[in-house]
Amino acid sequence: MVQTDSLTPKLNAFDLSTYLAERRQRVEAALDQAMPVRYPETLYESMRYSLLAGGKRLRPILCLAACELVGGSVDLALPTACALEMIHTMSLIHDDLPSMDNDDYRRGRLTNHKVYGEDVAILAGDALLTYAFEHVARYTQGAEPERVLRVIAGLGKAVGGEGLVGGQIVDLASEGNPDTTLDTLNYIHNHKTAALLEIAVTSGAILAGASDDQVSQLTDYAQRIGLAFQIVDDILDITSTAETLGKSVGKDITAQKATYPSLWGLEESRRQADQLIELAKAALAEFGALRQPLLAIADYIVARTY
Ligand code: GRG
């Protein structure tokens, strides 16, 4: 048991689905406003096609929750929250390309390159990625410039060779290799999945003026939910359906990809994910009642069905 303090009844009463629905709405509206169609229209239509295609909006919601946890406002972190979703969407567009995972469906609709062609999809990803940085720099208001710089540096690290790109290249190199080790699998997903979740959480806190100790506790929280998120993703690829996930299923087995279930089996994978979530929640022990959303989101990550 992690939650044994006097806050437990209040924390249990937290209504996560209302919270997520309200936050999603706020993020959707901000994304819609941030990315109007302009010339050259095909590019912007392609960017909006994927950016406004739904999705859980987990990264922006985590960013806003971490900002509020440390005493900041939603408005303070909203540009960074939008930038995180732009970066995440870019990574999905590029991940789905024929030269990467070669997927036809994402978020319940045809992938970007299936609709706009590979050339436009690559450029839409590039434009989303670069605009994300511009958006943070141009529209963040009320934060000390040094904090904004830290956020921009952190976003760059999370995307590049020490983040998404590093994880993706090791993932591609491991495809079809039956000897992929747990260390390699952890490397892939700490970079491909956990790195962006980590900067999502820490960026919100940094903007609100979190201390080094607080950032370090939130980093522990984010790395643990990040790995748990990926373990659940691997499980759902086996146990769920394309209709529920809005993307192809069973691809990991077809591509002979090492996954957590392929190394541990389904039951042990679930146990490991649960254990990581308990450790993630424990990392927030020193925060007060405002940690409710982050605790509930951690539970949601292992309970999710899509
Ligand atoms: C070009 C800079 C650059 C990077 C691209 C393609 C790539 C490098 C990295 C792949 C990263 C990737 C797609 C990781 C998978 C992360 C993951 C678990 C995605 C699913 O996230 P959800 O479930 O999706 O939050 P929704 O649709 O709900 O947002």
Side-chain angles (χ1 to χ4, degrees), residues 39-253:
Y39 182 80
E41 284 83 4
T42 307
L43 175 67
Y44 287 96
E45 280 162 9
S46 160
M47 290 158 80
R48 282 177 63 89
Y49 174 81
S50 293
L51 187 64
L52 302 176
K56 293 178 283 297
R57 309 307 193 192
L58 185 61
R59 293 145 192 87
I61 292 172
L62 282 168
C63 174
L64 300 177
C67 184
E68 287 188 303
L69 174 68
V70 184
S73 67
V74 166
D75 285 345
L76 176 65
L78 203 51
T80 300
C82 289
L84 285 156
E85 193 62 29
M86 291 173 199
I87 292 170
H88 172 57
T89 302
M90 168 281 301
S91 79
L92 300 179
I93 296 173
H94 282 197
D95 195 52
D96 292 335
L97 288 169
S99 57
M100 302 267 172
D101 263 8
N102 193 18
D103 266 301
D104 291 352
Y105 291 95
R106 171 72 70 176
R107 290 177 163 172
R109 41 163 84 178
L110 283 171
T111 44
N112 198 294
H113 65 271
K114 283 276 162 192
V115 177
Y116 292 94
E118 219 178 314
D119 46 2
V120 175
I122 291 169
L123 293 170
D126 293 344
L128 277 167
L129 174 60
T130 45
Y131 185 68
F133 289 88
E134 181 182 343
H135 193 70
V136 175
R138 195 179 286 282
Y139 295 110
T140 305
Q141 281 181 352
E144 287 171 21
E146 185 266 341
R147 292 180 192 164
V148 183
L149 277 180
R150 271 179 76 191
V151 166
I152 291 173
L155 286 170
K157 184 173 173 197
V159 177
E162 287 184 70
L164 269 68
V165 175
Q168 179 77 350
I169 203 156
V170 177
D171 192 12
L172 292 173
S174 309
E175 222 165 87
N177 175 6
D179 300 324
T180 303
T181 62
L182 181 60
D183 277 352
T184 303
L185 197 59
N186 284 338
Y187 178 94
I188 291 168
H189 298 304
N190 280 329
H191 291 76
K192 268 187 75 167
T193 302
L196 197 58
L197 290 168
E198 181 183 327
I199 189 64
V201 174
T202 55
S203 61
I206 288 168
L207 288 170
S211 67
D212 288 348
D213 270 356
Q214 287 176 321
V215 172
S216 158
Q217 288 156 11
L218 286 167
T219 300
D220 287 344
Y221 164 83
Q223 287 176 345
R224 292 164 188 169
I225 61 163
L227 216 45
F229 186 88
Q230 186 59 50
I231 295 172
V232 172
D233 226 57
D234 286 357
I235 293 172
L236 291 175
D237 186 64
I238 297 169
T239 59
S240 191
T241 62
E243 290 71 38
T244 306
L245 293 185
K247 61 179 183 182
S248 332
V249 291
K251 287 209 66 176
D252 295 338
I253 294 173

Side-chain angles (χ1 to χ4, degrees), residues 12 16 221 225 277-278 281 293-304:
N12 289 345
L16 182 68
Y221 164 83
I225 61 163
I277 290 304
E278 288 310 311
K281 292 194 290 184
L294 291 183
L295 293 176
I297 290 170
D299 284 329
Y300 160 77
I301 279 171
V302 273
R304 75 192 171 98

